[in-house]
């Protein structure tokens, strides 16, 4: 045994400290390492660069609704109507998305109050198959709109989607006119429809209920558009300007009404509800 081995064996080593795997969060925009607790307390917004990260329905409800809200049951629809299969069966993809998110599909509704004013809020979850719009999302949207009509409350939708769900083919595209009819019912009832565009909102969702709000709000830096930037550039054979399809660019060019930081969202929604339904919204 060498002298180095003898010395090493006589050194008292302390046991390795166990640290949780989720202690740090890496910002997708600036690559800064942030304490996960600090990131969550800042409403999942990077304190260094103000990047608004994607969040799910449960976190969103907790941020904009007063305590005591009720999550509405998700409507039942026929699953895998086309028996679709690519590298994996559609039914397996649905099962995997449900296991990873804990949600039945990509749109969830809740009924409650925003600073004491009645509201029904729908939130799309990009983590569930890219927030894609299928029959379940269309049915959930209609359910949310009609719940708002029943409770004489505005319907607020937070969009986040990559477009229509390809595994459902034409049936997914049929949700575009279906949601438009539900919005018309809200208008006939004299109730406001408020849209909050989050990152990303694209495709068939943008081409339907995402751009039909009485008021169009967006979170900072959100990607909003129909086709992708590379597709547009290859079609028109021109270079698009910097920041094209981002919330601030769309605000500057009149496509949306305002860009609101996440920490100010609840207050702004409360103001809009008060302006648009001064008598009907009081709980």
């Amino acid at each position: 045994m060498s002298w180095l081995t003898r010395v090493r064996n006589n050194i008292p080593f302390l046991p390795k400290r166990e640290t949780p795997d989720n202690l740090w969060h890496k910002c997708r925009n600036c690559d800064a390492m942030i304490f996960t607790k600090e990131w969550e307390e800042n409403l999942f917004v990077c304190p260094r660069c103000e990047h608004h990260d994607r969040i799910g329905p449960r976190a969103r409800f907790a941020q904009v609704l007063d305590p005591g809200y009720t999550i509405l049951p998700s409507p039942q629809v026929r699953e895998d109507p086309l028996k679709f299969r690519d590298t994996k069966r559609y039914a397996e993809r649905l099962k995997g998305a449900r296991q990873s998110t804990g949600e039945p599909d990509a749109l969830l509704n809740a009924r409650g109050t925003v600073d004491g004013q009645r509201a029904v809020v729908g939130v799309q979850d990009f983590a569930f198959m890219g927030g894609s719009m299928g029959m379940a999302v269309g049915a959930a949207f209609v359910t949310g709109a009609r719940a708002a009509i029943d409770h004489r409350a505005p319907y607020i939708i937070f969009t986040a989607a990559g477009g229509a769900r390809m595994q459902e083919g034409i049936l997914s595209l049929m949700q575009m006119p279906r949601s438009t009819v539900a919005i018309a019912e809200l208008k006939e009832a004299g109730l406001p429809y408020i849209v909050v565009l989050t990152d990303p909102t694209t495709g068939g969702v943008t081409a339907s209920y995402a751009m039909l709000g009485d008021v169009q709000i967006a979170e900072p830096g959100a990607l909003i558009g129909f086709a992708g930037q590379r597709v547009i550039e290859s079609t028109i054979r021109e270079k698009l300007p910097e920041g094209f399809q981002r919330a601030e660019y769309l605000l500057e060019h009149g496509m949306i009404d305002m860009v609101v930081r996440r920490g100010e969202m609840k207050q702004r929604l409360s103001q809009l509800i008060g302006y648009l339904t001064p008598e009907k919204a009081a709980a």
Side-chain angles (χ1 to χ4, degrees):
M1 181 183 293
S2 69
W3 67 270
L4 183 60
T5 303
R6 289 197 302 271
V7 170
R8 185 191 64 189
N9 291 341
N10 289 327
I11 296 175
F13 287 99
L14 295 174
K16 181 181 178 181
R17 289 198 308 170
E18 295 293 331
T19 57
D21 295 333
N22 60 348
L23 184 62
W24 295 90
H25 168 78
K26 184 177 181 179
C27 176
R28 294 193 304 117
N29 183 59
C30 68
D31 293 333
M33 297 300 293
I34 311 151
F35 275 118
T36 300
K37 185 178 179 181
E38 179 186 3
W39 176 61
E40 291 175 350
E41 289 175 349
N42 202 40
L43 305 180
F44 304 92
V45 177
C46 176
R48 312 291 193 272
C49 69
E50 290 291 312
H51 173 69
H52 285 54
D53 217 333
R54 300 165 185 169
I55 59 175
R58 310 277 174 168
R60 187 77 69 177
F61 292 148
Q63 290 176 13
V64 301
L65 289 170
D66 301 332
Y69 59 85
T70 302
I71 294 179
L72 302 180
S74 297
Q76 297 296 313
V77 299
R78 184 181 174 189
E79 293 186 1
D80 197 8
L82 305 180
K83 305 300 180 185
F84 192 91
R85 184 187 185 105
D86 46 88
T87 56
K88 188 186 293 186
R89 289 172 52 235
Y90 178 38
E92 293 176 7
R93 293 191 183 278
L94 285 173
K95 183 179 179 180
R98 286 168 182 158
Q99 289 177 342
S100 63
T101 64
E103 306 298 349
D105 214 280
L107 176 58
L108 204 63
N109 291 298
R111 184 182 71 246
T113 58
V114 180
D115 286 340
Q117 301 178 101
R118 285 197 301 264
V120 175
V121 177
V123 179
Q124 277 185 276
D125 188 1
F126 192 78
F128 194 107
M129 297 185 69
S132 52
M133 176 183 62
M135 291 194 299
V137 168
F141 184 91
V142 173
T143 296
R146 290 179 177 167
I149 294 171
D150 291 341
H151 291 86
R152 302 300 301 165
Y155 187 38
I156 303 168
I157 185 78
F158 287 79
T159 62
R165 191 168 297 175
M166 59 169 284
Q167 291 89 347
E168 295 184 18
I170 189 65
L171 298 174
S172 66
L173 298 179
M174 289 170 64
Q175 308 314 307
M176 297 168 67
R178 187 182 184 194
S179 60
T180 303
V181 170
I183 295 168
E185 292 177 3
L186 279 168
K187 302 291 179 66
E188 290 175 6
L191 296 168
Y193 172 56
I194 301 172
V195 178
V196 182
L197 303 152
T198 73
D199 181 68
T201 298
T202 60
V205 171
T206 304
S208 55
Y209 57 84
M211 299 308 298
L212 295 175
D214 297 310
V215 180
Q216 298 286 141
I217 306 173
E219 286 193 326
L223 174 67
I224 304 162
F226 180 64
Q229 183 167 340
R230 285 180 296 178
V231 174
I232 297 172
E233 287 180 338
S234 64
T235 302
I236 65 175
R237 303 181 189 279
E238 289 186 19
K239 184 70 176 175
L240 294 170
E242 187 71 25
F244 179 75
Q245 293 185 323
R246 293 291 173 178
E248 293 75 12
Y249 183 92
L250 299 183
L251 176 64
E252 183 181 345
H253 289 80
M255 191 171 176
I256 60 177
D257 297 308
M258 60 187 80
V259 175
V260 180
R261 295 179 67 253
R262 192 169 289 169
E264 302 166 359
M265 187 66 71
K266 183 175 182 177
Q267 180 186 8
R268 186 60 56 89
L269 290 174
S270 175
Q271 290 176 341
L272 289 171
I273 294 170
Y275 293 153
L276 299 173
T277 55
E279 296 178 359
K280 301 168 189 167

